[in-house]
Amino acid sequence: MGLEFKKGVRRMEHWLTKRAYLTPDNIAIELSNGETVTFAKLYEKACEFASKIYTVHQDGHVAMLSNNSIDMAVAFWACTYLNVPVVFLNTRLTAVEWQTQCEDADVKTVICSDQYKEDTQQLTLKAYAFSEIHSFRPTECTLITDMDLDLVCSMMFTSGTTGRAKPVIQTYNNHWSSAIASALNLGLMSNDKWLACLPLFHIGGLSILFKSVIYGMPVYLLERFDEEKVHNALMDRNVTIVSVVAVTCSRLLERLADGYYPSSFRCMLLGGGPAPKPLLEKAKEKHVPIVQTYGMTETCSQIATLNEADALRKLGSAGKPLFSASLQIQVNNTRAKPNQVGEIVVKGPMVTTGYYRREQANKESFQNGWFHTGDLGYLDEEGFLFVVDRRSDLIISGGENIYPAEVEEVLLSFEGVQEAGVTAVEDSKWGQVPVAYVVTVNEMVTANQLLAHCREKLASFKVPKQLYFRDQLPRNATNKLQRHRLRS
Amino acid sequence: MGLEFKKGVRRMEHWLTKRAYLTPDNIAIELSNGETVTFAKLYEKACEFASKIYTVHQDGHVAMLSNNSIDMAVAFWACTYLNVPVVFLNTRLTAVEWQTQCEDADVKTVICSDQYKEDTQQLTLKAYAFSEIHSFRPTECTLITDMDLDLVCSMMFTSGTTGRAKPVIQTYNNHWSSAIASALNLGLMSNDKWLACLPLFHIGGLSILFKSVIYGMPVYLLERFDEEKVHNALMDRNVTIVSVVAVTCSRLLERLADGYYPSSFRCMLLGGGPAPKPLLEKAKEKHVPIVQTYGMTETCSQIATLNEADALRKLGSAGKPLFSASLQIQVNNTRAKPNQVGEIVVKGPMVTTGYYRREQANKESFQNGWFHTGDLGYLDEEGFLFVVDRRSDLIISGGENIYPAEVEEVLLSFEGVQEAGVTAVEDSKWGQVPVAYVVTVNEMVTANQLLAHCREKLASFKVPKQLYFRDQLPRNATNKLQRHRLRS
């Protein structure tokens, strides 16, 4: 009644239903082959898909295993109409990794693109390919009309220093708040078209799907980063915004050569670490508007951004926290002074409500309402964020996160390996690649054996590019491995 | 802890603090005399003002009595830093009306522009003029850093068919959600500048202050609608959006004559009833982008809008409900069919949480989570809203709401008046003006006496422009006054 009726509960008409009502004939998704789908059609397809998976999805969560496609977007929205959380699996992982993640996230059913149907036979779970589901008969079922924004919408895995990947909860409110905060930062133009070449199973990709529906904006969807396709889309397909990582950004600028993007192209959103100065200078010279960002799965993408105007003046900065987000540097749980390095902590409606069923991790990560990122950084006098070190020893290789502890665990599981340390080396193509240092009990263990073992257990991008045998590894007084000293 | 830490509580860094941190040097407010104030300065002034009213505001709410000015904006933001709800008084009301509203809204202190200081001496409350407050010594006090979005930010009075004006509660979340929904509809351009010529004590004016701070956009603030000043601002001061009502819109188009607004001017946001066809046709011819809206104090401004593209195709429509808002037509609490006229009910985060201390009114207005507007309308097959009748007999005169019942009450309070009925007649300047029909016990009562009585009790825009004596007034079977039949 009046005063009370809205406290605590946050409901909203289903975004896709609403969008299909507001602008039915506008393009929702456009592919490089010219195929498009309107919001009305996307809505219709999602509802139909929902009525077809209704009987198979059972209780529990649904895992999604697919590369970017219209089918994947349809299947995702279908799940939202059934209020079923979607657990996104990285297609580059091994079946062993998928199995573990499905178990950790209470997945009962897997939905996959036809390409991965065979691979899913290694799982103990029932998996359905898109084409199978399309052939099902629709079931009479009630699709939700209002979203409860506090419910879980999606989960994505992220590791930490502990090795085992953790499922990050992303609520509808997280996604909503992220889309809104981004719009307040980048603006919202009626001709906007956002190119997505990051996988939808990463937050950098998925967040664009939400923006599309909430803003009423077309997504130009590519299956993966393809230099030629992205370049052509920027030149000829009226794309106004593209999300990239440093490696792909640099390749695009090289491809651009002596040309210029059309003036309607207004934002190259660069995530995953600061851009090197030569890249920024080149971008400036070519009038490419680079907006650097800092974000992570736990913040549902961007939480801080550096606008083009400050890019060279604040070289290496990730900018300022978005409207509605708060960010502090803390040292021993107190706020640091300007320029003092400490842990980056964040707060805001786009920040995850926690890791799924990881009480200990949640206890460690959330303190006094602040989410502790594990990243080190400082704020300068003007409040610009500088990230000094991403989450202790995180390796970012071509936009993918590699957690050394996870690779070390696999190495240590091989009989005869006593110690293992993994660290990054610079790589001109991928930015960074992992290399491993191991101590074995005798000389019977070979590098080839170890790498074969890794390839069996790990996604290929996580397999060390080099492997070195050592007598001992650098450790500190408390015997903690000092990964930054491995290479010396 | 993780999963729980965000349920129910919605907090955000204070918007002005955050804005002053993000874009300190950008213009917050611009006046027609060229004076400007940046966000950093506005923040500084608001904090200073807060420290000066800290000791005088006591408990209870603060009433604001002022016409548009930078001081008024500063005083408003100052109150938000003290978490004191601001009750906006319409400067055009009489002291008697102010007094009643202050009592109804638990006001303990009045803040006014110097112009109204003398008038406030008729109130039983202590009132402070801006210049007095500026001369106070600042007090050491704690200003809030985080807003609790569920708290009351402001109150504005609105009447109903019952006559006595009711204080509408507007929470921070209402204002936030309104600003966001508007941005999702109109877009957000980096060069946006919004001209406010509606009073800040109306939601149509105040909502622009929030948009300014949340978007980081300058407001071009006029004390009142002044055809010449608005015209010049649109022509020469890079204004991109202006909020108007039908009367002012028509005067602006006349003033425009054979000219054209610059192409950067992108939106004439028209509230307070549908635009007549000749006006829309003229606007089209002059390339003036008119966006019609439907909204009210209880929805914190717009809740539905008709975009320019549909203006002539859907003549007379108020468009579709904004993203995040829901709207239905209900007949006997069930959803109406397309084209069926019923009551317009709305839901969404921008809808008031209720009338302050009006339990009965809240019981009547909120049913199953829907706010009943009292307005009649229908949705066509495509879902476009057509408002048939604003809140039983509401008169809108130059953008001001006049509730017949309130004027009738004043007429009836005069000795010798037996019955009174007030209705609207069309007026070329104000859109509508009120006229009165009265039945007296004998012929001793004159029109002049009655109008003098009205002028004493009512704001001048509410005083009937004509007064007719009748032997009886049209009533239905249950003896309810039929205002729509008064003129026949």
Side-chain angles (χ1 to χ4, degrees), chain A residues 317-369:
Chain A
S317 168
K320 291 176 178 175
L322 300 181
F323 211 94
S324 84
S326 302
L327 187 150
Q328 279 187 5
I329 304 297
Q330 291 189 355
V331 177
N332 299 327
N333 287 311
T334 35
R335 199 167 177 168
K337 291 187 285 285
N339 297 313
Q340 186 187 0
V341 173
E343 187 178 10
I344 301 170
V345 303
V346 294
K347 195 155 71 169
M350 70 289 278
V351 176
T352 178
T353 53
Y355 299 107
Y356 184 69
R357 297 205 174 157
R358 294 293 169 92
E359 270 188 45
Q360 188 53 35
N362 286 333
K363 227 174 245 172
E364 286 162 14
S365 297
F366 293 92
Q367 285 161 32
N368 303 316

Side-chain angles (χ1 to χ4, degrees), chain A residues 1-3 5-6 8 10 13 18 21-22 169 174 180 183 187-188 320-322 325-326 348 351 353 363 366 369 383, chain B residues 1-3 5-6 8 10 13 18 21-22 169 174 180 183 187-188 320-322 325-326 348 351 353 363 366 369 383:
Chain A
M1 195 99 2
L3 290 170
F5 102 86
K6 261 182 315 181
R10 288 179 274 206
E13 260 177 78
K18 179 78 172 187
Y21 159 54
L22 289 178
I169 290 172
N174 290 151
I180 297 303
L188 212 55
K320 291 176 178 175
L322 300 181
S326 302
V351 176
T353 53
K363 227 174 245 172
F366 293 92
Chain B
M1 192 105 359
L3 292 171
F5 102 88
K6 260 183 313 183
R10 289 179 274 204
E13 260 175 80
K18 178 79 175 190
Y21 157 55
L22 289 178
I169 291 172
N174 290 152
I180 297 304
L188 212 56
K320 291 175 178 176
L322 300 181
S326 301
V351 176
T353 54
K363 228 174 246 174
F366 293 91

Side-chain angles (χ1 to χ4, degrees), chain A residues 229-446:
Chain A
K229 281 188 180 163
V230 175
H231 177 78
N232 291 339
L234 298 190
M235 296 302 276
D236 302 323
R237 303 293 282 268
N238 302 316
V239 167
T240 61
I241 307 179
V242 63
S243 303
V244 294
V245 295
V247 194
T248 51
C249 173
S250 140
R251 279 160 64 184
L252 285 172
L253 289 191
E254 254 170 57
R255 177 65 186 75
L256 186 59
D258 293 332
Y260 292 92
Y261 294 127
S263 60
S264 57
F265 176 67
R266 68 185 189 87
C267 173
M268 192 172 272
L269 195 67
L270 174 65
K277 194 171 181 185
L279 184 65
L280 290 175
E281 277 169 343
K282 181 154 188 199
K284 195 181 176 191
E285 183 193 314
K286 309 294 296 173
H287 310 300
V288 177
I290 291 194
V291 175
Q292 292 174 83
T293 77
Y294 168 68
M296 63 206 79
T297 309
E298 286 92 334
T299 61
C300 276
S301 87
Q302 307 152 259
I303 193 152
T305 63
L306 180 71
N307 292 325
E308 189 197 357
D310 294 314
L312 283 165
R313 186 172 76 89
K314 294 289 179 181
L315 198 76
S317 168
K320 291 176 178 175
L322 300 181
F323 211 94
S324 84
S326 302
L327 187 150
Q328 279 187 5
I329 304 297
Q330 291 189 355
V331 177
N332 299 327
N333 287 311
T334 35
R335 199 167 177 168
K337 291 187 285 285
N339 297 313
Q340 186 187 0
V341 173
E343 187 178 10
I344 301 170
V345 303
V346 294
K347 195 155 71 169
M350 70 289 278
V351 176
T352 178
T353 53
Y355 299 107
Y356 184 69
R357 297 205 174 157
R358 294 293 169 92
E359 270 188 45
Q360 188 53 35
N362 286 333
K363 227 174 245 172
E364 286 162 14
S365 297
F366 293 92
Q367 285 161 32
N368 303 316
W370 291 97
F371 172 72
H372 287 245
T373 64
D375 294 339
L376 295 178
Y378 65 90
L379 293 166
D380 72 6
E381 303 80 6
E382 289 179 75
F384 283 82
L385 172 68
F386 289 79
V387 182
V388 173
D389 203 0
R390 290 266 346 213
R391 206 173 292 213
S392 22
D393 311 317
L394 175 67
I395 302 167
I396 303 182
S397 184
E400 294 278 2
N401 289 350
I402 304 172
Y403 297 89
E406 186 189 1
V407 183
E408 290 160 5
E409 223 173 62
V410 169
L411 289 166
L412 287 166
S413 70
F414 195 86
E415 207 180 312
V417 174
Q418 210 163 40
E419 290 182 50
V422 170
T423 188
V425 295
E426 305 303 312
D427 182 271
S428 60
K429 183 168 180 196
W430 301 109
Q432 297 185 317
V433 291
V435 296
Y437 297 80
V438 292
V439 179
T440 54
V441 286
N442 53 41
E443 280 160 26
M444 301 289 288
V445 182
T446 69

